[in-house]
Amino acid sequence: HSQSTLLSIFSLEYQKRTKRTISRHHAPDAIESYYQRYLSEAKAHPAAPVLLELANEVDLSPALMARIILDRFLQGPEGEMPSKTVLSSMLKEPSLIPDQILANNVYQCTINDCCYGPLVDCIKHAIGQEHEVLLCDKLKERNLSFLDENQLRAMGYDKTPDIILEVPIAVEGHIVHWIESKASFGDDHSHRTYLNEQFWSYWNRFGPGLVIYWYGFIGELDCQRDRGILLKDCFPTDIVTLCHAAQQERLPHEPE
């Protein structure tokens, strides 16, 4: 688990660094320079992983280098841009690329990138699904009645948390109406983004809720409890159901 947490932190830091430097790799003269380098080296060494080596040399994610070069390869004679759908489908399935050497190079870049590309997207999606299933299992174990994202979509909701509890619970003294599962580490940047794009809109619509960062989070970020957003790094053990709380309130008044 600690190794997965470190990988999640590394991935977040790598993405942040890439966002800071990506613009210089997307400059038209940089793209042309990379493309001409690729063409001459692939011609001289058709079996070598020239695109992967070029990506490492200029300090760019291999999957992003593959996207840049493939995008340039697919440009029309008048500089017409390829469709995003065609580009994405070829990156996912390099055998669709009409040039065999380029197809091999794109494939090598994809499988040697730990943070970007279709393979990583697929793994992240699978890990995310795995933790959502884990969350549902934990709720079922506790006999807590809930609606998941798919049921909510079927009911016509668009932006929803992973889970809405049909009967709210209290966790560490805080009322919880919804739960969001995040199979990643909660760092300052990603948490702030999630707050603005997801959590506050869930709060506006459904009331206070709980976010589980399964790979941990920076402790200082759990500062919105009084405003209605609670952070945990595991399924909470301190759960009070409303019927349980109502029973406890009644007990002292019952005759001995």
Side-chain angles (χ1 to χ4, degrees):
H1 186 82
S2 59
Q3 192 178 5
S4 303
T5 300
L6 287 171
L7 280 169
S8 181
I9 295 169
F10 169 77
S11 177
L12 289 167
E13 288 303 317
Y14 186 82
Q15 285 165 27
K16 271 193 269 188
R17 198 190 66 165
T18 301
K19 279 176 190 156
R20 285 198 301 270
T21 59
I22 193 70
S23 58
R24 65 183 165 87
H25 297 293
H26 274 293
D29 56 342
I31 292 173
E32 201 52 42
S33 151
Y34 297 158
Y35 187 57
Q36 294 308 325
R37 280 262 325 256
Y38 162 73
L39 289 177
S40 65
E41 289 180 25
K43 194 175 179 183
H45 311 284
V50 295
L51 205 49
L52 179 61
E53 286 167 4
L54 178 60
N56 290 334
E57 184 193 316
V58 300
D59 198 20
L60 175 63
S61 141
L64 295 182
M65 176 62 87
R67 176 177 276 275
I68 286 172
I69 297 297
L70 181 60
D71 188 52
R72 173 65 186 80
F73 169 80
L74 293 170
Q75 272 181 33
E78 301 298 315
E80 311 95 293
M81 302 308 286
S83 89
K84 287 239 162 56
T85 317
V86 170
L87 183 63
S88 295
S89 61
M90 286 183 176
L91 288 166
K92 278 182 193 165
E93 190 47 75
S95 60
L96 298 171
I97 300 169
D99 182 300
Q100 184 62 56
I101 294 171
L102 180 56
N104 289 342
N105 272 276
V106 167
Y107 177 69
Q108 284 158 351
C109 284
T110 302
I111 60 168
N112 284 289
D113 196 312
C114 62
C115 294
Y116 286 97
L119 183 63
V120 176
D121 292 343
C122 194
I123 293 166
K124 281 182 180 169
H125 180 70
I127 293 170
Q129 294 281 94
E130 210 174 280
H131 286 82
E132 283 173 38
V133 170
L134 174 66
L135 175 57
C136 290
D137 288 347
K138 296 277 188 189
L139 291 165
K140 284 171 190 164
E141 274 171 33
R142 299 295 298 260
N143 291 322
L144 296 170
S145 179
F146 64 90
L147 296 168
D148 66 24
E149 209 173 3
N150 296 329
Q151 291 167 302
L152 291 161
R153 290 243 170 89
M155 289 161 71
Y157 287 102
D158 51 351
K159 242 185 173 183
T160 67
D162 295 318
I163 296 294
I164 288 183
L165 297 159
E166 293 193 284
V167 178
I169 58 172
V171 175
E172 295 167 15
H174 296 269
I175 299 293
V176 167
H177 287 265
W178 53 267
I179 305 176
E180 178 74 4
S181 168
K182 294 289 181 201
S184 61
F185 179 81
D187 74 329
D188 186 49
H189 178 264
S190 54
H191 182 64
R192 201 167 47 240
T193 306
Y194 288 141
L195 275 172
N196 295 333
E197 294 179 4
Q198 296 179 336
F199 306 156
W200 287 128
S201 60
Y202 300 162
W203 182 90
N204 282 329
R205 206 165 185 182
F206 307 109
L210 162 68
V211 179
I212 302 177
Y213 281 111
W214 296 98
Y215 294 115
F217 57 87
I218 295 169
E220 288 81 7
L221 299 176
D222 192 15
C223 57
Q224 309 283 1
R225 289 185 166 209
D226 294 337
R227 291 182 65 194
I229 292 174
L230 174 69
L231 305 187
K232 295 284 290 174
D233 62 1
C234 62
F235 188 79
T237 48
D238 177 13
I239 290 178
V240 178
T241 57
L242 288 191
C243 50
H244 177 219
Q247 271 176 348
Q248 283 187 325
E249 278 170 24
R250 280 201 305 273
L251 283 175
H253 306 295
E254 288 178 1
E256 292 189 11

